[in-house]
Amino acid sequence: MLLTVIYIIAITAEAMTGALSAGRRSMDWFGVTLIACVTALGGGSVRDVLLGHYPLTWVKHPEYLVLTCCAALFTIIIAKWMKHLHSIFLLLDALGLIGFTIIGCQIALQMGQGFVVSAVAGVLTGVSGGILRDILCNDVPLVFRRELYASISFVAVIFYWFCIDFGLSLEITVISTLVFGFSLRCIAIYFGLEMPKFIYKDDDDQSASSKDVS
Amino acid sequence: MLLTVIYIIAITAEAMTGALSAGRRSMDWFGVTLIACVTALGGGSVRDVLLGHYPLTWVKHPEYLVLTCCAALFTIIIAKWMKHLHSIFLLLDALGLIGFTIIGCQIALQMGQGFVVSAVAGVLTGVSGGILRDILCNDVPLVFRRELYASISFVAVIFYWFCIDFGLSLEITVISTLVFGFSLRCIAIYFGLEMPKFIYKDDDDQSASSKDVS
Amino acid sequence: MLLTVIYIIAITAEAMTGALSAGRRSMDWFGVTLIACVTALGGGSVRDVLLGHYPLTWVKHPEYLVLTCCAALFTIIIAKWMKHLHSIFLLLDALGLIGFTIIGCQIALQMGQGFVVSAVAGVLTGVSGGILRDILCNDVPLVFRRELYASISFVAVIFYWFCIDFGLSLEITVISTLVFGFSLRCIAIYFGLEMPKFIYKDDDDQSASSKDVS
């Protein structure tokens, strides 16, 4: 129940960030709507296709699809005022990241998967909507370069797993994972924490692979 | 039967546009063939994977796959004369768009889906082949920026739905949707009709996301 | 048994090439790990999703996923010395290409598919991990432009098919296909053999589609 509320908040927030990305690339309204849907529902779809968990969420509940389309069109209307809402968005996005992660993890556990696969399912649900958005907008996915994001999703999975293992009830586990992951993400944003980067230069290959963009 | 003929025309035309896109990026013959297949058969594959509708069309009918490969190689041979065929291609592509849309919509209806999911299935079948082509060629998908395209696919779905709801027989519905959608697309091309674009500038994010291409 | 050993060598080698690609784009450790996993396991996942062959390999054997993550992190540590290992990598990658191809082909045959679909399954398993890696790194897939690669995968499938058709036992078929394909790839690298390229210039379209990168 709590998760459904968080899920609805999360897909709305993600749809709006997708719509803004599409707007930065000057796409038409259809492109904006499609990228909003992919950002909001793509993570769960990737998870369900990879796990063979049919029907997908938006096929079973087309109302979520309608909701993301409305959120996309609403974003076009209120775009002028979006800059002032930047910090609210970061918080909603953080809530969505942890919410998606918990949902993805739970679905894999319900399918009888073990720790590794549920961790992957959780992280994939959390981050792959944003990755698909960046691929469609022809960017290198931001998730690989900005402050702690996917790694927080992964830490939340571990926390969730420990709570379950510790014998806590499902409600307490979900709520404490939400609080824990959300706080961690807020700390990461506030202090600008980043993962260490791996920088590799290899002259001959580099020139070949950057030919298109220079 | 009519739909099968249109489907074969459509995948041939789409395969040829895919091959030309690959040629613009100076790909080798294998890349040309693969991009032709993805452009022609990718839309249906995306739909079938998302709906869990197995086996995919080209797995059940590998002859379609052979046809698209032949179309790709044929395109390499006749590339010199392609410029003069530009308008014929636009018409075949328009026919394909509507044909794909109807087929996608019908498959979702046969699976017992409602309006929202069949509309998505129809539009996805129509446009996602071209989106995959543009992702593989490292372009921002054209479908989000050129004249009315995906939106015509969506309008065709609504028209189709109304015809069915009105009690028209399947043949008449298919034929009238084809005529309606095809005319609409021709009008859009002729007058250069475009959807309104959503242009959003956000200085700090913009600089971050365009770092790769400048 | 032999195939399992080759599969493990292949996913390790592919994971390391994926990690290096991510390093060229200065991604953080999470991005490096994810791209390594996609490169190593993405080919098989694409094949299994398209054929509806569930559960996917890494869902059934999560230990392969752990192995690719370890290979990615190991690559970060030994990156300084990687340049000296360049030729070993090319050989391991060649081995992996043929190993992946044979495995993909066998799985399709076990599912009762005919020649065309098993050939596609074999080639897809061999090359689509690398294609996904290049899409996530925002490159035009290298596989479409460098020396004979995907075509060797295809020739290996034909060779494999002839051996089976000729009545050879499975072990002899696998071993001789491996030797044949591996030699072919080594010859292609040594002599820099390339497929003919298809170069198509179309002034008005070209300017439209290259707008983003210039």
Side-chain angles (χ1 to χ4, degrees), chain B residues 101-113:
Chain B
T101 302
I102 295 173
I103 293 168
C105 195
Q106 277 189 341
I107 286 176
L109 289 175
Q110 277 161 18
M111 292 178 74
Q113 304 294 348

Side-chain angles (χ1 to χ4, degrees), chain C residues 33-71:
Chain C
T33 312
L34 186 135
I35 293 205
C37 291
V38 166
T39 310
L41 305 168
S45 301
V46 167
R47 175 202 64 220
D48 287 345
V49 166
L50 290 177
L51 296 180
H53 179 255
Y54 289 102
L56 306 200
T57 314
W58 57 267
V59 174
K60 206 170 166 189
H61 298 287
E63 59 271 22
Y64 294 149
L65 202 62
V66 174
L67 175 69
T68 54
C69 293
C70 294

Side-chain angles (χ1 to χ4, degrees), chain A residues 10 13-15 17-19 21-22 24 35-46 93 96-97 100 123-144 146 149-150, chain C residues 30 34 136:
Chain A
E14 294 297 324
T17 67
S21 278
R24 284 189 198 103
I35 293 207
C37 291
V38 166
T39 311
L41 304 168
S45 301
V46 167
D93 179 70
L97 172 68
F100 279 165
V123 175
L124 272 184
T125 312
V127 306
S128 50
I131 294 177
L132 287 172
R133 176 196 63 211
D134 293 341
I135 290 176
L136 284 172
C137 292
N138 205 14
D139 291 324
V140 172
L142 264 179
V143 77
F144 303 149
R146 66 172 163 177
Y149 191 83
Chain C
F30 174 79
L34 186 135
L136 284 173

Side-chain angles (χ1 to χ4, degrees), chain B residues 186-201:
Chain B
C186 291
I187 293 170
I189 295 172
Y190 191 77
F191 293 102
L193 300 181
E194 291 192 0
M195 276 204 105
K197 288 200 167 53
F198 170 44
I199 296 170
Y200 179 72
K201 294 285 169 211

Side-chain angles (χ1 to χ4, degrees), chain B residues 19-26 79-80 82-83, chain C residues 198-202 205-206:
Chain B
L20 290 183
S21 278
R24 282 189 200 105
R25 291 280 174 172
S26 308
K80 279 178 205 164
M82 289 297 274
K83 279 164 217 184
Chain C
F198 170 43
I199 296 170
Y200 179 72
K201 294 285 169 211
D202 175 318
D205 269 67
Q206 179 64 17

Side-chain angles (χ1 to χ4, degrees), chain C residues 19-31:
Chain C
L20 290 183
S21 278
R24 284 190 197 103
R25 291 280 175 173
S26 309
M27 291 187 185
D28 64 24
W29 291 11
F30 174 79

